[in-house]
Amino acid sequence: MNSQHILIIDDEENMRHMLSVMLSRQGYRVELAANGGQGLDCLKNNAYDYILCDIRMPEMDGKTFLQQAMEEHVTTPVIMMSAYGTVETAIECMKLGAYDFISKPFKRDEIVMVLKKAEERERLKEENSHLREVVAGRFSYSGILSRNSGMQEIFNQIKKVADLKTTILVLGESGTGKELVARAVHLNGRRSQKPFVAVNCGAIPENLLESELFGHVRGAFTDASSDKEGLFEQADGGTLFLDEIGETPLALQVKLLRVLQEGEIRRVGDAASKKVDVRVISATSRDLAADVGTGCFREDLYFRLNVFCLQLPPLRERVEDIPLLAEHFMSRHGSGSDCQVLRLEPDAMRSLMAYRWPGNVRELENVIERACILSEGGRITSSSLPSPVRLLDESCPDESENDENLSIKKAEDAIERDLIRKALVKTGGNRTRAAKILEISHRSLLYKLKEYDIE
Ligand SMILES: Nc1ncnc2c1ncn2[C@@H]1O[C@H](COP(=O)(O)OP(=O)(O)OP(=O)(O)O)[C@@H](O)[C@H]1O
Ligand SMILES: [Mg+2]
């Protein structure tokens, strides 16, 4: 039996009576209010599964009720009932976060249908959020989300080296998550209780970098009015993250190499040196090997830093992560929006999947954050996306005019085909292992190979 609790807000006595009788018969527990104000009072003392609310009412109308309920962060789905002449208001209410609306006069079945539909949607929502949790658990490591096999391999490598003192070099384009990876190494190793100190070697003026890293003693130079501890000492026992290592001036590269080899630092102006126990992780978006070739980076330091290398793939090479990350950033940035549930419409998703993301995950995060602000009624459409992302299709008009390009099915097929190819390349054509990576059965892989005509 249905024991869902419904609040009905309507100023017309007949309407309240009719709905009450009908819905009680359907097994709902019904409560009645004659205007928005009474409705709000009911909300103070009770939790409801659904609210049915008329729009035109004296004292407090439906829209005002909805606005106030939203301000109070009421999450109960509100279904507006609009009579002749209030349909526009009903649409405004949808934008404000109403769940649905039904036009008066309605037949008995209609209202039940709307409620069943809402129930179904709620159930799916719950299922989705559960699914989301499962996915997040399975496809995340220390806050790094990815379902890409290359990234999963990186998670494994992090687990293996985290506890060691091995020097690590993290490579990857800007915004691929290098700092996140460095932190994950630190947090999962036995140094996690000690400091993680990050320094951007490209952001500190050359003349200050040495004293920043190694510290200085009083009087070492004009401004040195007292002794100062450097970042190596601050990170003692923990991890020092040298970001943008490729920007380190050559003169300092020599000193850095010595510190790494000897495990001792010497403050600027100090005669004595001091032991430090620091794990060094460095990162760069430059092609460091090429810099070695052109003499901009010392080869000996390069080898010293590059004992263990983690190369992060750019986002465009792991498109399967885009929906996962988009969802993640929506839940992170969507909480400020006026709707509880944000939804990415298929057109928006298509644009996100097709874009090349030169700024990688950071750029995606910024785009989603902006889209959350621009979203209306909880929907993110492609018009909430910045033009470079959105206009991708329009830049090749011949294609976009074709209906085929609007097909989600086709786009999904294309992605699926691509993933299968990649899995086969990665496993050297081993179908059993490819099926494992793809997380589908061997049988369905064979079926898909045939369907997509892949050798
Ligand atoms: N796989 C991921 N899962 C979740 N968040 C991510 C992921 N990758 C990156 N991010 C987020 O994207 C942003 C950029 O990541 P991060 O700063 O680690 O990149 P980076 O490679 O160091 O960039 P840059 O080269 O510009 O310094 C951060 O907000 C980070 O939390
Ligand atoms: Mg960074």
Side-chain angles (χ1 to χ4, degrees):
M1 211 42 198
N2 198 335
S3 65
Q4 306 231 54
H5 203 181
I6 295 196
L7 175 63
I8 294 167
I9 311 174
D10 202 309
D11 59 317
E12 281 172 64
E13 165 111 54
N14 284 341
M15 194 62 169
R16 287 201 302 271
H17 181 72
M18 190 274 276
L19 283 170
S20 169
V21 170
M22 184 175 70
L23 294 176
S24 302
R25 257 187 219 143
Q26 294 285 328
Y28 291 97
R29 280 193 295 138
V30 178
E31 206 148 325
L32 304 170
N35 60 52
Q38 278 186 18
L40 289 174
D41 287 340
C42 293
L43 283 179
K44 284 199 187 100
N45 305 315
N46 295 290
Y48 300 95
D49 295 296
Y50 304 101
I51 299 170
L52 278 173
C53 181
D54 190 23
I55 289 181
R56 199 177 281 160
M57 290 182 290
E59 293 178 50
M60 187 190 285
D61 67 10
K63 186 175 161 193
T64 315
F65 164 81
L66 180 71
Q67 274 166 330
Q68 300 207 2
M70 290 294 150
E71 271 167 31
E72 310 264 324
H73 304 288
V74 169
T75 54
T76 313
V78 182
I79 296 159
M80 308 305 295
M81 299 184 284
S82 74
Y84 177 74
T86 59
V87 171
E88 292 229 335
T89 320
I91 292 167
E92 282 169 33
C93 287
M94 294 292 290
K95 287 187 184 163
L96 284 171
Y99 202 76
D100 205 346
F101 76 89
I102 179 163
S103 306
K104 279 181 179 176
F106 42 75
K107 298 199 187 78
R108 287 174 186 231
D109 301 353
E110 261 179 290
I111 193 87
V112 177
M113 288 276 282
V114 167
L115 282 169
K116 292 276 173 242
K117 207 173 75 188
E119 233 171 89
E120 176 66 12
R121 264 204 273 171
E122 286 294 288
R123 197 183 56 75
L124 281 176
K125 207 168 85 189
E126 222 162 81
E127 221 174 78
N128 266 337
S129 71
H130 172 68
L131 239 152
R132 226 176 272 169
E133 278 164 23
V134 172
V135 166
R138 209 141 128 240
F139 299 123
S140 90
Y141 179 71
S142 251
I144 314 169
L145 269 63
S146 182
R147 53 192 309 157
N148 172 263
S149 54
M151 288 294 290
Q152 300 270 330
E153 184 50 39
I154 285 176
F155 297 167
N156 285 333
Q157 292 175 332
I158 294 175
K159 284 176 203 158
K160 283 186 190 143
V161 291
D163 262 342
L164 312 175
K165 200 181 164 181
T166 320
T167 308
I168 296 176
L169 178 63
V170 189
L171 297 176
E173 289 179 14
S174 159
T176 45
K178 297 185 292 295
E179 180 155 356
L180 212 54
V181 162
R183 286 181 191 275
V185 171
H186 175 75
L187 289 173
N188 289 282
R190 47 171 138 255
R191 296 172 171 258
S192 64
Q193 300 303 316
K194 294 290 171 71
F196 175 90
V197 177
V199 53
N200 184 332
C201 301
I204 297 173
E206 187 167 342
N207 57 335
L208 293 183
L209 192 56
E210 182 180 0
S211 95
E212 200 60 38
L213 288 174
F214 310 127
H216 59 71
V217 294
R218 185 167 164 226
F221 44 87
T222 328
D223 294 333
S225 53
S226 59
D227 287 6
K228 185 179 168 261
E229 193 183 59
L231 296 173
F232 266 93
E233 282 175 81
Q234 281 179 28
D236 201 8
T239 306
L240 182 64
F241 177 51
L242 300 171
D243 205 357
E244 310 294 351
I245 186 75
E247 309 298 325
T248 316
L250 274 166
L252 200 65
Q253 289 178 22
V254 192
K255 295 181 178 166
L256 202 53
L257 178 65
R258 218 194 42 231
V259 171
L260 292 175
Q261 279 169 343
E262 291 161 16
E264 308 188 325
I265 52 113
R266 201 163 67 211
R267 291 185 179 188
V268 178
D270 200 347
S273 47
K274 197 175 165 187
K275 278 253 170 256
V276 283
D277 167 30
V278 172
R279 182 210 210 138
V280 172
I281 302 178
S282 48
T284 181
S285 49
R286 299 176 62 112
D287 182 349
L288 216 49
D291 286 348
V292 170
T294 56
C296 298
F297 204 85
R298 291 183 65 102
E299 188 174 37
D300 43 12
L301 179 60
Y302 174 67
F303 286 128
R304 194 70 192 71
L305 294 172
N306 191 12
V307 176
F308 196 89
C309 180
L310 296 170
Q311 170 89 51
L312 307 186
L315 188 55
R316 64 180 168 280
E317 286 175 16
R318 41 179 163 125
V319 287
E320 66 271 39
D321 282 350
I322 292 172
L324 185 70
L325 289 166
E327 284 280 348
H328 170 67
F329 294 133
M330 271 159 61
S331 56
R332 180 185 287 180
H333 298 292
S335 54
S337 107
D338 47 359
C339 285
Q340 302 102 31
V341 201
L342 275 166
R343 203 170 57 223
L344 257 175
E345 296 294 317
D347 65 330
M349 185 59 92
R350 238 166 44 86
S351 301
L352 295 180
M353 300 287 278
Y355 185 57
R356 284 185 63 75
W357 301 109
N360 294 291
V361 185
R362 177 177 293 110
E363 186 182 10
L364 175 63
E365 178 166 12
N366 293 342
V367 164
I368 296 290
E369 182 173 3
R370 177 179 177 278
C372 287
I373 297 166
L374 295 178
S375 69
E376 282 190 14
R379 293 166 61 238
I380 295 179
T381 59
S382 70
S383 63
S384 329
L385 304 175
S387 45
V389 182
R390 171 170 31 114
L391 293 180
L392 208 79
D393 300 322
E394 288 167 31
S395 60
C396 35
D398 297 348
E399 278 183 20
S400 70
E401 270 161 23
N402 189 338
D403 282 356
E404 287 214 339
N405 286 301
L406 297 175
S407 155
I408 295 174
K409 174 86 180 81
K410 293 243 157 50
E412 281 174 356
D413 286 354
I415 293 166
E416 196 167 88
R417 184 181 297 142
D418 188 45
L419 292 176
I420 292 174
R421 275 216 193 92
K422 280 187 186 147
L424 286 169
V425 169
K426 195 175 154 62
T427 59
N430 182 324
R431 292 174 177 188
T432 313
R433 276 177 50 218
K436 211 163 191 176
I437 295 177
L438 292 162
E439 298 188 84
I440 58 176
S441 68
H442 186 249
R443 219 177 110 110
S444 68
L445 177 60
L446 295 185
Y447 172 78
K448 284 176 197 294
L449 289 177
K450 202 163 166 196
E451 185 187 351
Y452 294 136
D453 200 17
I454 300 175
E455 282 298 307

